[in-house]
Amino acid sequence: MAAGRFLHLLLRGTYSHFDGKMSVEKQKFLTVAPFKCVWREELRFKEAGRGCVAFEAFAQNDVTLVFREQVGSQHYHYKMDNNPNYTIIFGSHRNRRLKIEASGKTVVDVAGVGLCSSAFQSYWISIYDGLISIGKGKYPFQNLVFEWHDSEPNFNVQYIGLSSWDKHVGYRNISILHMPSHHNALWSHIDYKDYEGEDDEDDGLENVNDNLGKWGLLNFLENWDLADVLFEVGTERKVIPAHKVILSSTGDFSLGSTDENVIELPSTSYPVLHSFLEFIYIGRTQIVEWQLGPLQELSLQFKVIALVKQCEEIMDRFRKNKKLFDSGKKVEIINLSSQVRQFGIFPCEVPLDVGKLKHFLATGEHSDIKIHIEDHGLVVQSHKLILSLWSAPFAKMFTNGMVESSSSDIYLKDVPAEAFWVMIQFMYSGVLEMDITEMGPILIPLLLLADQFGVFVLQRECCKRVMECLSEDIVCTILQAVSSIQSYKLLEETCKRNFAMHFDYCTTASTEFVLLDEATFREILLHADMTVTSEEKVLDAILLWCMQACKVFGWATVDDLLISSTTEQIFGERFQSIFLLLPFVRFPLMPLFLLEKLEDSRLSNQIPMFGDLVKEAIQYSGGIKMPEVSQNIRFQHRHSSYKELQYICDGDKNGVIYFAGTSYGEHAWKITLTASSPASRYTDSKALVSRTYQATSFAGPRIEDGHSSAWWMVDIGHDHQLMCNYYTLRQDGSSTYIRSWAFQGSVDGKNWTDLRVHNDDQTICRSGQFASWPVIGPMALLPFRFFRVILTGPASGDPNVWNLCICFIELYGYFI
């Protein structure tokens, strides 16, 4: 009977829809002179550390935006700024590169991205807790071109400066947008109107309007979609739909009536109920003053305490100052309760008690949908409305007349249950509550689920987590997962760049890269930041990929296989790919002795293109002029190439420290050495690079992580990296010989990777002795900025067994 009455009232309702169109006001035209920076009080984020600026600019190069904690001075320029800031430069290096600086330190420098235009072009930059996203086009969060996450984010940047380098830069249509992490689709509703301003830098800039319009629960306010409770109000018994999960998250609506799906309010007028529901659904409302009393009584009835308090405070002000009272005037009421947050990382700002929502998820209270996954059974009892707030596919499933619209059960196939449960939890809290170590196994399935169900905020959070833990060991796995998904293009491009910059490691540590599709592998081979130690490595990788090899080997092994097999048999279905990929090997950069070996190989004899490319390279090496050499990439050195500094003998002059210290008259960088103990007469970093024998030279012990250790650390500079494959130490004049230690590398000087570990190594056994060790395996192919030798056990001999007694260190490998 109760269900029948609810259905009867439901059929009396009508559907309503919401048009979420928005507009954003713009700043006037502005020209910035060379080496200047313009600041305006209006050019600031509403919330420190979070915001988005969209603008148009034209310049030959160096469209530059500075983000600071305070407004810059009249003569400010970012090159002279010693305070925390982010500086983003479009078209740096004569319009060839995109550059990001964090407090003066270059953290991003990529070619061919974010370039300038001689005509006005639209750009946008968003900053969200250190995650900097950059794109082109007038709609933020569309057409992303680059993203970088600061591992030590500045949460206080707020003011925006418009700057330049050596040319004038024109700016116009500057919009500052508040960024509460709404659905990405929200931005596509922004209505940009054509604007023509005056070229007058002295004109005051117009105020920025960051009114992003209504979104989210407003769509469901008094909407019959997914309604599971009805109000009958007034003597006319007007029927108003609502949703139990929303109502119960703000008050107590369990009245114990015979029909809990219908709430009768004969003495309440519709305007009062409308304001009541509006406050619950969107956190604010307006009501005429004389209706405050009935609104307070209704709030008390259902224990919506935040609204009760607001009504009491407003009425108290009227009692104290009767002049304020105007029976026809509307009063605005805003939810300011500390227990009910405007949840910035929800898909919309909704005034819901997240603690209650999580309780409803855990208990299944008020649930109207049971979700089953094949081979896992019932996974969760959820709420259609909550899922619909986050996911357009779920919203369509529940509201467009599909079978799921009327069913209380849905059955999913080919869905990873653990990742799905994490996604559901995220929908109820807006937070990924697992740390990165726990998320490891499910991070990629979660990425794919977020795309499948259109949970854009989760996509962004997952991408952020992936960026934080991105390494050469997982880049191939991520590329396989996201290469066909348009919404992850930015992540895909980041992974391709990571692969290209660590090409040697990614193609020798395992054969996982052979699972990449041809288009992805080809783009890596053509990447502007491709970094390899030799073109032989590129040749080996192409042959392995075409063979779909299960283990790593070089071209010589492939050549031996041709004794008993044909090329078609060896390369199988990828045989034709050989002819597409071989031209990407820059044979002319190979040494002549290697080219002569390749010329005599079976590969040259059985693959005509291979032989032709090798012969061309030999002719080039012999000084024969080749047509159109300057236009052919095969004859050009790669943008990022390592200098080979290889070990020959102990104490030689081929190492990185000697190379950087003498600079061969060409460079100005320097190497920094530090010790675990304070500098002193016998702990002098200069001694280790002086190449002069020292009778006493040591790094003393310090306590780290509860253990005693001593170390010497080398920093080769923020613009340089080394793939270290050998290192040399020299004992000082003491008899304290190291026995157990580790040689380590680091990108940031904080997180260390063991390159070689020594346990009870007896190599050093006399004063002044040199000793050298190779770094072997995949670790020799990882580039690092920082290196250190650290004791892991006591030394022998002298009572000071935790002193690291060396007077010389040298590193070798591939240096950039």
Side-chain angles (χ1 to χ4, degrees), residues 539-672:
L539 174 60
D540 291 344
I542 289 174
L543 294 175
L544 288 173
W545 185 88
C546 290
M547 293 176 65
Q548 301 182 67
C550 297
K551 61 180 181 179
V552 177
F553 45 77
W555 68 266
T557 301
V558 181
D559 200 60
D560 290 341
L561 292 174
L562 288 173
I563 297 174
S564 57
S565 304
T566 65
T567 52
E568 289 85 352
Q569 290 172 329
I570 290 176
F571 299 115
E573 62 184 19
R574 291 182 176 177
F575 176 65
Q576 293 300 322
S577 298
I578 281 283
F579 304 102
L580 297 174
L581 299 180
L582 275 178
F584 301 142
V585 181
R586 302 187 183 186
F587 287 98
L589 304 185
M590 292 181 177
L592 183 59
F593 77 88
L594 177 58
L595 289 172
E596 290 172 345
K597 286 184 179 181
L598 292 172
E599 185 181 29
D600 295 334
S601 69
R602 298 175 188 84
L603 285 165
S604 287
N605 293 330
Q606 297 190 31
I607 304 177
M609 174 184 279
F610 191 102
D612 292 342
L613 290 170
V614 172
K615 289 177 183 178
E616 177 188 63
I618 291 175
Q619 291 173 352
Y620 179 75
S621 299
I624 299 176
K625 291 186 177 181
M626 309 300 295
E628 299 181 353
V629 166
S630 60
Q631 284 78 36
N632 196 323
I633 63 170
R634 292 201 303 278
F635 298 90
Q636 299 173 12
H637 284 276
R638 297 189 184 276
H639 171 73
S640 299
S641 298
Y642 282 96
K643 181 174 182 60
E644 190 173 2
L645 300 171
Q646 299 301 334
Y647 169 83
I648 296 178
C649 63
D650 294 345
D652 63 23
K653 296 182 179 180
N654 293 331
V656 172
I657 294 178
Y658 184 82
F659 177 76
T662 61
S663 303
Y664 292 126
E666 297 178 0
H667 303 286
W669 71 82
K670 65 178 181 179
I671 282 180
T672 304

Side-chain angles (χ1 to χ4, degrees), residues 114-126:
L115 304 184
C116 302
S117 173
S118 57
F120 271 107
Q121 184 163 295
S122 298
Y123 305 88
W124 59 265
I125 301 169
S126 76

Side-chain angles (χ1 to χ4, degrees), residues 732-791:
D732 71 351
S734 72
S735 58
T736 304
Y737 307 132
I738 57 175
R739 291 292 176 254
S740 298
W741 73 96
F743 177 57
Q744 300 175 324
S746 173
V747 173
D748 55 10
K750 299 176 182 178
N751 302 295
W752 295 91
T753 300
D754 288 335
L755 304 182
R756 181 169 182 135
V757 177
H758 301 257
N759 292 311
D760 196 24
D761 189 323
Q762 303 288 323
T763 303
I764 296 180
C765 55
R766 66 179 186 275
S767 299
Q769 177 187 346
F770 283 97
S772 302
W773 297 269
V775 177
I776 58 177
M779 292 298 105
L781 300 174
L782 287 177
F784 296 105
R785 169 185 168 180
F786 299 89
F787 297 86
R788 73 175 180 180
V789 178
I790 181 170
L791 284 182

Side-chain angles (χ1 to χ4, degrees), residues 174-296:
I174 307 159
S175 304
I176 311 299
L177 308 174
H178 180 44
M179 206 174 99
S181 287
H182 293 268
H183 275 295
N184 290 2
L186 179 65
W187 302 101
S188 65
H189 293 288
I190 299 177
D191 181 18
Y192 285 88
K193 299 177 182 177
D194 292 335
Y195 182 88
E196 295 295 334
E198 299 176 357
D199 186 1
D200 185 358
E201 184 177 337
D202 294 327
D203 280 352
L205 299 179
E206 296 176 355
N207 291 332
V208 175
N209 179 2
D210 64 353
N211 175 22
L212 296 179
K214 313 283 187 173
W215 189 258
L217 274 178
L218 182 62
N219 284 328
F220 294 95
L221 175 61
E222 299 183 21
N223 191 321
W224 291 87
D225 282 340
L226 310 180
D228 55 1
V229 63
L230 303 174
F231 289 92
E232 280 190 353
V233 294
T235 55
E236 71 278 16
R237 301 173 65 85
K238 183 179 178 67
V239 179
I240 306 299
H243 308 83
K244 287 181 183 178
V245 66
I246 303 302
L247 299 178
S248 298
S249 70
T250 55
D252 183 2
F253 289 80
S254 56
L255 301 180
S257 64
T258 56
D259 186 356
E260 293 187 357
N261 294 327
V262 180
I263 301 174
E264 297 179 352
L265 299 172
S267 60
T268 301
S269 67
Y270 169 71
V272 171
L273 178 66
H274 174 76
S275 293
F276 177 72
L277 292 177
E278 193 173 41
F279 182 89
I280 290 174
Y281 276 69
I282 66 173
R284 64 175 61 222
T285 189
Q286 289 184 340
I287 192 169
V288 292
E289 293 175 1
W290 66 269
Q291 291 178 330
L292 280 169
L295 180 60
Q296 183 191 26

Side-chain angles (χ1 to χ4, degrees), residues 339-384:
Q339 296 179 349
V340 183
R341 313 194 301 185
Q342 291 277 334
F343 217 81
I345 51 179
F346 240 64
C348 49
E349 291 190 353
V350 293
L352 300 179
D353 187 326
V354 174
K356 287 188 176 181
L357 287 180
K358 292 167 70 174
H359 171 74
F360 297 156
L361 175 64
T363 62
E365 189 176 349
H366 306 305
S367 67
D368 54 1
I369 188 69
K370 296 178 180 178
I371 302 177
H372 307 258
I373 294 179
E374 189 177 40
D375 298 328
H376 292 85
L378 177 63
V379 174
V380 63
Q381 297 182 76
S382 187
H383 307 82
K384 291 180 180 181

